[in-house]
Amino acid sequence: FRRSSLAALLLLGSLCIGYVPVVHAANESLQAVIDRIEHDNNYKVLAVQTVEHNRRKVYVIKVLTEDGRVKVVQVRASQ
């Protein structure tokens, strides 16, 4: 179920909203990742989902940009 949910979310992200490639969380907590995304990119985080993909934890983060676009950011969690 998780794999199909991730695939559907990623497909939706690439078709309907802007898609941002996977970035890495260099030993950061989820809250630190959210804070960095909001501060460094001036995005507003709308939703966060933690999923497992190929036995790795990935944060799928839906954000609102300054110009009103919605994007999906994937961040590989540190192991």
Side-chain angles (χ1 to χ4, degrees), residues 15-61:
L15 294 176
C16 300
I17 53 184
Y19 176 74
V20 177
V22 173
V23 294
H24 299 274
N27 298 318
E28 292 179 291
S29 68
L30 176 56
Q31 187 59 53
V33 170
I34 291 169
D35 293 343
R36 181 170 48 94
I37 287 171
E38 288 184 328
H39 181 266
D40 293 353
N41 302 294
N42 210 15
Y43 291 162
K44 177 178 167 82
V45 172
L46 302 175
V48 177
Q49 182 178 12
T50 303
V51 297
E52 190 173 305
H53 183 65
N54 293 333
R55 290 189 253 165
R56 291 182 177 241
K57 191 186 326 180
V58 176
Y59 303 128
V60 180
I61 305 170

CSV table of all heavy atoms in Angstrom, one decimal, residues 15-61:
chain,number,residue,atom,x,y,z
A,15,LEU,N,2.5,15.7,-12.4
A,15,LEU,CA,1.5,16.0,-13.4
A,15,LEU,C,0.8,17.3,-13.1
A,15,LEU,O,0.5,18.2,-13.9
A,15,LEU,CB,0.5,14.9,-13.6
A,15,LEU,CG,1.0,13.6,-14.2
A,15,LEU,CD1,-0.1,12.6,-14.2
A,15,LEU,CD2,1.5,13.8,-15.6
A,16,CYS,N,0.4,17.5,-11.8
A,16,CYS,CA,-0.5,18.6,-11.4
A,16,CYS,C,0.2,19.7,-10.7
A,16,CYS,O,-0.3,20.8,-10.8
A,16,CYS,CB,-1.6,18.1,-10.5
A,16,CYS,SG,-2.7,16.8,-11.3
A,17,ILE,N,1.2,19.5,-10.1
A,17,ILE,CA,1.9,20.5,-9.3
A,17,ILE,C,3.4,20.4,-9.6
A,17,ILE,O,3.9,19.4,-10.1
A,17,ILE,CB,1.6,20.4,-7.8
A,17,ILE,CG1,1.9,19.0,-7.3
A,17,ILE,CG2,0.2,20.8,-7.5
A,17,ILE,CD1,1.6,18.8,-5.9
A,18,GLY,N,4.1,21.5,-9.3
A,18,GLY,CA,5.5,21.4,-9.6
A,18,GLY,C,6.2,20.4,-8.8
A,18,GLY,O,5.8,20.0,-7.6
A,19,TYR,N,7.3,19.8,-9.3
A,19,TYR,CA,8.0,18.7,-8.7
A,19,TYR,C,9.4,19.1,-8.4
A,19,TYR,O,10.1,19.7,-9.3
A,19,TYR,CB,7.9,17.5,-9.6
A,19,TYR,CG,8.7,16.3,-9.0
A,19,TYR,CD1,8.3,15.6,-7.9
A,19,TYR,CD2,10.0,16.0,-9.6
A,19,TYR,CE1,9.0,14.5,-7.4
A,19,TYR,CE2,10.7,15.0,-9.1
A,19,TYR,CZ,10.2,14.2,-8.0
A,19,TYR,OH,11.0,13.2,-7.5
A,20,VAL,N,9.9,18.9,-7.2
A,20,VAL,CA,11.3,19.2,-6.9
A,20,VAL,C,12.0,17.9,-6.6
A,20,VAL,O,11.5,17.0,-5.9
A,20,VAL,CB,11.3,20.1,-5.6
A,20,VAL,CG1,12.7,20.4,-5.2
A,20,VAL,CG2,10.5,21.4,-5.9
A,21,PRO,N,13.2,17.7,-7.1
A,21,PRO,CA,13.9,16.4,-7.0
A,21,PRO,C,14.2,16.1,-5.5
A,21,PRO,O,14.2,17.0,-4.6
A,21,PRO,CB,15.2,16.7,-7.7
A,21,PRO,CG,15.1,17.9,-8.5
A,21,PRO,CD,13.9,18.7,-7.9
A,22,VAL,N,14.6,14.9,-5.3
A,22,VAL,CA,15.0,14.4,-3.9
A,22,VAL,C,16.2,15.2,-3.4
A,22,VAL,O,17.2,15.3,-4.2
A,22,VAL,CB,15.2,12.9,-4.0
A,22,VAL,CG1,15.8,12.4,-2.6
A,22,VAL,CG2,14.0,12.1,-4.3
A,23,VAL,N,16.1,15.6,-2.2
A,23,VAL,CA,17.3,16.2,-1.5
A,23,VAL,C,17.6,15.3,-0.3
A,23,VAL,O,16.7,14.5,0.1
A,23,VAL,CB,17.1,17.7,-1.2
A,23,VAL,CG1,17.0,18.5,-2.4
A,23,VAL,CG2,15.9,17.9,-0.3
A,24,HIS,N,18.7,15.5,0.3
A,24,HIS,CA,19.1,14.7,1.5
A,24,HIS,C,19.0,15.5,2.8
A,24,HIS,O,19.4,16.7,2.8
A,24,HIS,CB,20.5,14.1,1.3
A,24,HIS,CG,20.6,13.2,0.1
A,24,HIS,ND1,20.3,11.9,0.2
A,24,HIS,CD2,21.0,13.5,-1.1
A,24,HIS,CE1,20.5,11.4,-1.0
A,24,HIS,NE2,20.9,12.3,-1.8
A,25,ALA,N,18.6,14.8,3.8
A,25,ALA,CA,18.6,15.5,5.2
A,25,ALA,C,19.9,15.0,5.8
A,25,ALA,O,19.9,13.9,6.3
A,25,ALA,CB,17.4,15.0,5.9
A,26,ALA,N,20.8,15.8,5.9
A,26,ALA,CA,22.1,15.5,6.5
A,26,ALA,C,22.0,15.5,8.0
A,26,ALA,O,22.3,16.4,8.7
A,26,ALA,CB,23.2,16.5,6.0
A,27,ASN,N,21.6,14.3,8.5
A,27,ASN,CA,21.4,14.1,10.0
A,27,ASN,C,20.5,15.2,10.6
A,27,ASN,O,20.8,15.6,11.7
A,27,ASN,CB,22.8,14.1,10.7
A,27,ASN,CG,23.7,13.0,10.2
A,27,ASN,OD1,23.2,11.8,10.0
A,27,ASN,ND2,24.9,13.2,9.9
A,28,GLU,N,19.5,15.5,9.9
A,28,GLU,CA,18.5,16.5,10.4
A,28,GLU,C,17.2,15.8,10.9
A,28,GLU,O,16.8,14.9,10.2
A,28,GLU,CB,18.2,17.6,9.4
A,28,GLU,CG,19.3,18.5,8.9
A,28,GLU,CD,18.9,19.4,7.9
A,28,GLU,OE1,18.6,19.0,6.7
A,28,GLU,OE2,18.8,20.6,8.2
A,29,SER,N,16.6,16.4,11.9
A,29,SER,CA,15.3,15.9,12.3
A,29,SER,C,14.3,16.4,11.3
A,29,SER,O,14.6,17.3,10.4
A,29,SER,CB,14.9,16.5,13.7
A,29,SER,OG,14.7,17.9,13.6
A,30,LEU,N,13.1,15.8,11.3
A,30,LEU,CA,12.0,16.3,10.4
A,30,LEU,C,11.7,17.8,10.6
A,30,LEU,O,11.6,18.5,9.6
A,30,LEU,CB,10.8,15.4,10.6
A,30,LEU,CG,9.5,15.9,9.7
A,30,LEU,CD1,9.9,15.9,8.3
A,30,LEU,CD2,8.4,15.0,10.0
A,31,GLN,N,11.7,18.2,11.8
A,31,GLN,CA,11.4,19.6,12.1
A,31,GLN,C,12.5,20.5,11.5
A,31,GLN,O,12.2,21.6,11.0
A,31,GLN,CB,11.3,19.9,13.6
A,31,GLN,CG,10.8,21.3,13.9
A,31,GLN,CD,9.5,21.7,13.3
A,31,GLN,OE1,8.5,20.9,13.4
A,31,GLN,NE2,9.4,22.7,12.5
A,32,ALA,N,13.8,20.1,11.6
A,32,ALA,CA,14.9,20.8,11.1
A,32,ALA,C,14.8,20.9,9.5
A,32,ALA,O,15.0,21.9,8.9
A,32,ALA,CB,16.2,20.2,11.5
A,33,VAL,N,14.3,19.8,8.9
A,33,VAL,CA,14.1,19.8,7.5
A,33,VAL,C,13.1,20.8,7.1
A,33,VAL,O,13.2,21.6,6.1
A,33,VAL,CB,13.8,18.4,7.0
A,33,VAL,CG1,13.4,18.4,5.5
A,33,VAL,CG2,15.0,17.4,7.2
A,34,ILE,N,11.9,20.8,7.8
A,34,ILE,CA,10.8,21.7,7.5
A,34,ILE,C,11.3,23.1,7.7
A,34,ILE,O,11.0,24.0,6.8
A,34,ILE,CB,9.6,21.4,8.4
A,34,ILE,CG1,9.0,20.1,8.0
A,34,ILE,CG2,8.6,22.5,8.4
A,34,ILE,CD1,8.0,19.5,9.0
A,35,ASP,N,12.0,23.4,8.8
A,35,ASP,CA,12.5,24.8,9.0
A,35,ASP,C,13.4,25.2,7.9
A,35,ASP,O,13.3,26.4,7.4
A,35,ASP,CB,13.2,24.8,10.4
A,35,ASP,CG,12.3,24.6,11.5
A,35,ASP,OD1,11.0,24.8,11.4
A,35,ASP,OD2,12.8,24.4,12.6
A,36,ARG,N,14.3,24.3,7.5
A,36,ARG,CA,15.3,24.7,6.4
A,36,ARG,C,14.5,24.9,5.1
A,36,ARG,O,14.8,25.9,4.4
A,36,ARG,CB,16.3,23.5,6.2
A,36,ARG,CG,17.3,23.8,5.1
A,36,ARG,CD,18.4,22.8,5.1
A,36,ARG,NE,18.0,21.4,5.1
A,36,ARG,CZ,17.8,20.7,4.1
A,36,ARG,NH1,18.0,21.2,2.9
A,36,ARG,NH2,17.5,19.4,4.2
A,37,ILE,N,13.5,24.1,4.7
A,37,ILE,CA,12.8,24.3,3.5
A,37,ILE,C,12.1,25.6,3.5
A,37,ILE,O,12.1,26.4,2.6
A,37,ILE,CB,11.8,23.1,3.3
A,37,ILE,CG1,12.6,21.9,2.8
A,37,ILE,CG2,10.8,23.5,2.2
A,37,ILE,CD1,11.8,20.6,2.8
A,38,GLU,N,11.4,25.9,4.7
A,38,GLU,CA,10.7,27.2,4.8
A,38,GLU,C,11.6,28.4,4.7
A,38,GLU,O,11.3,29.4,4.1
A,38,GLU,CB,9.8,27.2,6.0
A,38,GLU,CG,8.6,26.3,6.0
A,38,GLU,CD,7.7,26.4,7.2
A,38,GLU,OE1,8.2,26.6,8.3
A,38,GLU,OE2,6.5,26.1,7.0
A,39,HIS,N,12.7,28.3,5.4
A,39,HIS,CA,13.6,29.5,5.5
A,39,HIS,C,14.4,29.7,4.3
A,39,HIS,O,14.5,30.8,3.7
A,39,HIS,CB,14.6,29.3,6.7
A,39,HIS,CG,15.5,30.4,6.9
A,39,HIS,ND1,16.8,30.4,6.4
A,39,HIS,CD2,15.3,31.6,7.5
A,39,HIS,CE1,17.4,31.6,6.7
A,39,HIS,NE2,16.5,32.3,7.4
A,40,ASP,N,15.1,28.6,3.8
A,40,ASP,CA,16.0,28.8,2.7
A,40,ASP,C,15.3,29.1,1.3
A,40,ASP,O,15.8,29.7,0.5
A,40,ASP,CB,16.8,27.5,2.5
A,40,ASP,CG,17.8,27.3,3.6
A,40,ASP,OD1,17.9,28.1,4.5
A,40,ASP,OD2,18.4,26.2,3.6
A,41,ASN,N,14.1,28.6,1.2
A,41,ASN,CA,13.4,28.7,-0.1
A,41,ASN,C,12.2,29.7,0.0
A,41,ASN,O,11.5,29.9,-1.0
A,41,ASN,CB,12.9,27.4,-0.6
A,41,ASN,CG,14.0,26.4,-0.8
A,41,ASN,OD1,14.8,26.6,-1.6
A,41,ASN,ND2,14.0,25.4,0.1
A,42,ASN,N,11.9,30.1,1.2
A,42,ASN,CA,10.7,31.0,1.5
A,42,ASN,C,9.5,30.3,1.0
A,42,ASN,O,8.6,30.9,0.4
A,42,ASN,CB,10.9,32.3,0.8
A,42,ASN,CG,10.2,33.4,1.5
A,42,ASN,OD1,9.8,33.2,2.7
A,42,ASN,ND2,10.0,34.6,0.9
A,43,TYR,N,9.4,29.0,1.4
A,43,TYR,CA,8.2,28.2,1.1
A,43,TYR,C,7.4,28.1,2.4
A,43,TYR,O,7.9,28.2,3.5
A,43,TYR,CB,8.5,26.8,0.7
A,43,TYR,CG,9.2,26.6,-0.7
A,43,TYR,CD1,9.9,25.4,-0.9
A,43,TYR,CD2,9.1,27.5,-1.6
A,43,TYR,CE1,10.5,25.2,-2.2
A,43,TYR,CE2,9.7,27.4,-2.9
A,43,TYR,CZ,10.4,26.2,-3.1
A,43,TYR,OH,11.0,26.0,-4.3
A,44,LYS,N,6.1,27.8,2.2
A,44,LYS,CA,5.2,27.5,3.4
A,44,LYS,C,4.9,26.0,3.3
A,44,LYS,O,4.3,25.6,2.2
A,44,LYS,CB,3.9,28.3,3.4
A,44,LYS,CG,3.0,28.0,4.5
A,44,LYS,CD,1.8,28.8,4.5
A,44,LYS,CE,0.7,28.3,5.3
A,44,LYS,NZ,0.6,28.5,6.6
A,45,VAL,N,5.2,25.2,4.3
A,45,VAL,CA,4.9,23.8,4.3
A,45,VAL,C,3.5,23.6,4.5
A,45,VAL,O,2.9,24.0,5.5
A,45,VAL,CB,5.8,23.0,5.3
A,45,VAL,CG1,5.4,21.6,5.4
A,45,VAL,CG2,7.3,23.1,4.9
A,46,LEU,N,2.8,22.8,3.6
A,46,LEU,CA,1.4,22.5,3.7
A,46,LEU,C,1.1,21.2,4.3
A,46,LEU,O,0.1,21.0,5.0
A,46,LEU,CB,0.7,22.6,2.3
A,46,LEU,CG,0.9,24.0,1.6
A,46,LEU,CD1,0.3,23.8,0.2
A,46,LEU,CD2,0.2,25.1,2.3
A,47,ALA,N,1.9,20.2,4.0
A,47,ALA,CA,1.7,18.8,4.4
A,47,ALA,C,3.0,18.0,4.4
A,47,ALA,O,3.8,18.3,3.5
A,47,ALA,CB,0.6,18.1,3.6
A,48,VAL,N,3.1,17.1,5.3
A,48,VAL,CA,4.3,16.2,5.3
A,48,VAL,C,3.8,14.8,5.5
A,48,VAL,O,2.9,14.5,6.3
A,48,VAL,CB,5.2,16.6,6.5
A,48,VAL,CG1,6.4,15.6,6.5
A,48,VAL,CG2,5.7,18.0,6.4
A,49,GLN,N,4.4,13.9,4.7
A,49,GLN,CA,4.1,12.5,4.9
A,49,GLN,C,5.5,11.7,4.9
A,49,GLN,O,6.3,12.0,4.1
A,49,GLN,CB,3.3,12.0,3.7
A,49,GLN,CG,2.9,10.5,3.8
A,49,GLN,CD,2.0,10.0,2.7
A,49,GLN,OE1,1.8,10.7,1.7
A,49,GLN,NE2,1.5,8.9,2.9
A,50,THR,N,5.6,10.8,5.8
A,50,THR,CA,6.8,10.0,5.8
A,50,THR,C,6.5,8.6,5.2
A,50,THR,O,5.5,8.0,5.6
A,50,THR,CB,7.3,9.8,7.3
A,50,THR,OG1,7.5,11.1,7.9
A,50,THR,CG2,8.6,9.0,7.3
A,51,VAL,N,7.2,8.3,4.2
A,51,VAL,CA,7.0,7.0,3.5
A,51,VAL,C,8.3,6.2,3.4
A,51,VAL,O,9.4,6.8,3.7
A,51,VAL,CB,6.5,7.2,2.1
A,51,VAL,CG1,5.1,7.9,2.1
A,51,VAL,CG2,7.4,8.0,1.2
A,52,GLU,N,8.2,4.9,3.2
A,52,GLU,CA,9.4,4.1,3.0
A,52,GLU,C,9.5,3.7,1.5
A,52,GLU,O,8.5,3.3,0.9
A,52,GLU,CB,9.3,2.8,3.8
A,52,GLU,CG,10.6,2.1,3.9
A,52,GLU,CD,10.5,0.9,4.9
A,52,GLU,OE1,10.2,1.2,6.0
A,52,GLU,OE2,10.8,-0.2,4.4
A,53,HIS,N,10.6,4.0,0.9
A,53,HIS,CA,10.9,3.7,-0.5
A,53,HIS,C,12.2,3.0,-0.6
A,53,HIS,O,13.2,3.5,-0.2
A,53,HIS,CB,10.9,4.9,-1.3
A,53,HIS,CG,11.0,4.7,-2.8
A,53,HIS,ND1,10.1,4.0,-3.5
A,53,HIS,CD2,12.0,5.0,-3.6
A,53,HIS,CE1,10.5,4.0,-4.7
A,53,HIS,NE2,11.7,4.6,-4.8
A,54,ASN,N,12.2,1.7,-1.1
A,54,ASN,CA,13.4,0.9,-1.2
A,54,ASN,C,14.1,0.8,0.2
A,54,ASN,O,15.3,1.0,0.3
A,54,ASN,CB,14.4,1.5,-2.2
A,54,ASN,CG,13.8,1.3,-3.6
A,54,ASN,OD1,13.0,0.4,-3.9
A,54,ASN,ND2,14.2,2.2,-4.5
A,55,ARG,N,13.4,0.6,1.2
A,55,ARG,CA,13.8,0.4,2.6
A,55,ARG,C,14.5,1.7,3.2
A,55,ARG,O,15.3,1.6,4.1
A,55,ARG,CB,14.8,-0.8,2.7
A,55,ARG,CG,14.0,-2.1,2.6
A,55,ARG,CD,14.9,-3.2,2.9
A,55,ARG,NE,15.3,-3.9,1.7
A,55,ARG,CZ,16.2,-4.8,1.6
A,55,ARG,NH1,17.0,-5.0,2.6
A,55,ARG,NH2,16.5,-5.3,0.4
A,56,ARG,N,14.2,2.8,2.6
A,56,ARG,CA,14.7,4.1,3.1
A,56,ARG,C,13.5,5.0,3.4
A,56,ARG,O,12.6,5.0,2.7
A,56,ARG,CB,15.6,4.8,2.1
A,56,ARG,CG,16.9,4.1,1.8
A,56,ARG,CD,17.7,4.9,0.8
A,56,ARG,NE,19.0,4.2,0.6
A,56,ARG,CZ,20.1,4.8,0.9
A,56,ARG,NH1,20.2,6.0,1.3
A,56,ARG,NH2,21.2,4.1,0.7
A,57,LYS,N,13.7,5.7,4.5
A,57,LYS,CA,12.6,6.7,4.9
A,57,LYS,C,12.8,7.9,4.0
A,57,LYS,O,13.9,8.5,3.9
A,57,LYS,CB,12.8,7.0,6.4
A,57,LYS,CG,11.6,7.8,6.9
A,57,LYS,CD,11.7,8.3,8.3
A,57,LYS,CE,12.5,7.5,9.3
A,57,LYS,NZ,12.5,8.1,10.6
A,58,VAL,N,11.6,8.4,3.5
A,58,VAL,CA,11.6,9.6,2.6
A,58,VAL,C,10.5,10.5,3.2
A,58,VAL,O,9.4,10.0,3.4
A,58,VAL,CB,11.3,9.2,1.2
A,58,VAL,CG1,11.2,10.5,0.3
A,58,VAL,CG2,12.4,8.3,0.6
A,59,TYR,N,10.8,11.8,3.3
A,59,TYR,CA,9.8,12.7,3.7
A,59,TYR,C,9.2,13.3,2.4
A,59,TYR,O,10.0,13.8,1.5
A,59,TYR,CB,10.3,13.9,4.5
A,59,TYR,CG,11.0,13.5,5.8
A,59,TYR,CD1,12.3,13.9,6.1
A,59,TYR,CD2,10.4,12.6,6.7
A,59,TYR,CE1,12.9,13.5,7.3
A,59,TYR,CE2,11.0,12.2,7.9
A,59,TYR,CZ,12.2,12.7,8.2
A,59,TYR,OH,12.9,12.3,9.3
A,60,VAL,N,7.9,13.2,2.2
A,60,VAL,CA,7.3,13.9,1.0
A,60,VAL,C,6.6,15.1,1.6
A,60,VAL,O,5.7,15.0,2.4
A,60,VAL,CB,6.3,12.9,0.3
A,60,VAL,CG1,5.6,13.5,-0.9
A,60,VAL,CG2,7.0,11.6,-0.1
A,61,ILE,N,7.0,16.3,1.1
A,61,ILE,CA,6.6,17.5,1.7
A,61,ILE,C,5.9,18.4,0.6
A,61,ILE,O,6.6,18.7,-0.4
A,61,ILE,CB,7.8,18.3,2.3
A,61,ILE,CG1,8.5,17.4,3.3
A,61,ILE,CG2,7.4,19.6,2.9
A,61,ILE,CD1,9.8,17.9,3.8
